[in-house]
Amino acid sequence: MCFPEINSTPEIYFNQNLVIQYFSSNRIIKVQTRLSFRALAILGILEKLGPNILVNLGCGTGVTEKLTPVEKNFTIGLDVSYFMMKIYSKRTIMTESILLDIQITFLPFRPQCIDLCISVSCIQWLKILPDSNASNVIIFEQKQFFDYRCINNLCVMQFFPISKKILKKILKIFTNIKHKIFLIIDKKNKETSKKYFIFCRNYLN
């Protein structure tokens, strides 16, 4: 598996030409659709009663939004790629888009205004290498989002860990911010086909 996040950052890697290729690739869209559908199923949003305000971290071109029932959910998509956001804004309805780097910028939401959170193929881009300081990743600060911003404090994040060390690092971050976490691994017996999902919720809920 190729890991472009090792040598690049998403705002540089996802330039205009690559985003056009990405959006035009049936294979990539199918993969992202399967991952998004699975993440939504874990979150339970396909069966949840609305209305919900859903935040999508690293929303890309809006694959997840195409699967989310618009009559029950209003989605706010966040992404660091300007070219991803241009496509997202054109192809989604009942959504809002925000160009934002979740590593360095606090989320522009009032306390207790977000119901649910989802992320697909995003958090592996965060700089959480074993020798880095996890507290520098603002999105994971305890009072900034999960414990302070969300009403239900439910979140599902799908990711591709580069190594076992990175996997342990990610799990440790969620443990440190005092959340119940459940690691779900699809196709765990197939090393190259494994799909990792973290489902987390606040201890108080």
Side-chain angles (χ1 to χ4, degrees), residues 156-195:
V156 172
M157 293 190 171
Q158 180 277 328
F159 63 103
F160 296 102
I162 298 172
S163 65
K164 291 182 179 179
K165 287 184 178 181
I166 294 295
L167 176 60
K168 290 180 180 179
K169 182 75 171 180
I170 292 173
L171 294 177
K172 184 178 180 181
I173 290 172
F174 280 97
T175 301
N176 288 344
I177 60 175
K178 299 181 179 180
H179 276 71
K180 295 178 182 177
I181 62 170
F182 303 89
L183 178 64
I184 300 169
I185 306 176
D186 290 351
K187 298 183 179 180
K188 61 176 62 179
N189 295 324
K190 296 183 178 181
E191 192 62 35
T192 58
S193 301
K194 286 182 181 179
K195 305 294 186 296

Side-chain angles (χ1 to χ4, degrees), residues 49-151:
L49 296 176
N52 296 305
I53 297 179
L54 170 70
V55 165
N56 184 357
L57 303 177
C59 60
T61 60
V63 173
T64 299
E65 282 70 10
K66 287 296 184 180
L67 302 172
T68 304
V70 295
E71 69 275 9
K72 297 191 296 182
N73 303 279
F74 179 81
T75 304
I76 304 172
L78 281 70
D79 206 286
V80 71
S81 170
Y82 168 77
F83 300 106
M84 286 284 195
M85 295 266 62
K86 284 186 66 176
I87 295 177
Y88 179 92
S89 299
K90 291 179 180 179
R91 72 188 299 259
T92 58
I93 59 173
M94 288 296 292
T95 65
E96 184 63 66
S97 59
I98 303 175
L99 183 67
L100 185 71
D101 187 343
I102 63 176
Q103 291 193 103
I104 61 175
T105 307
F106 282 97
L107 302 181
F109 305 127
R110 295 192 304 271
Q112 298 186 333
C113 70
I114 304 300
D115 298 302
L116 305 165
C117 175
I118 194 169
S119 179
V120 175
S121 303
C122 173
I123 62 174
Q124 69 259 21
W125 286 92
L126 302 180
K127 299 306 178 184
I128 49 177
L129 298 176
D131 59 348
S132 68
N133 182 357
S135 65
N136 289 335
V137 183
I138 285 180
I139 192 63
F140 289 121
E141 289 187 2
Q142 179 177 347
K143 291 299 181 184
Q144 204 283 318
F145 187 70
F146 293 106
D147 292 344
Y148 181 58
R149 300 285 177 173
C150 292
I151 296 172

Side-chain angles (χ1 to χ4, degrees), residues 32-47:
Q32 290 298 308
T33 298
R34 287 197 295 267
L35 293 173
S36 296
F37 186 85
R38 177 68 169 127
L40 288 168
I42 294 171
L43 192 61
I45 199 171
L46 300 177
E47 294 81 26

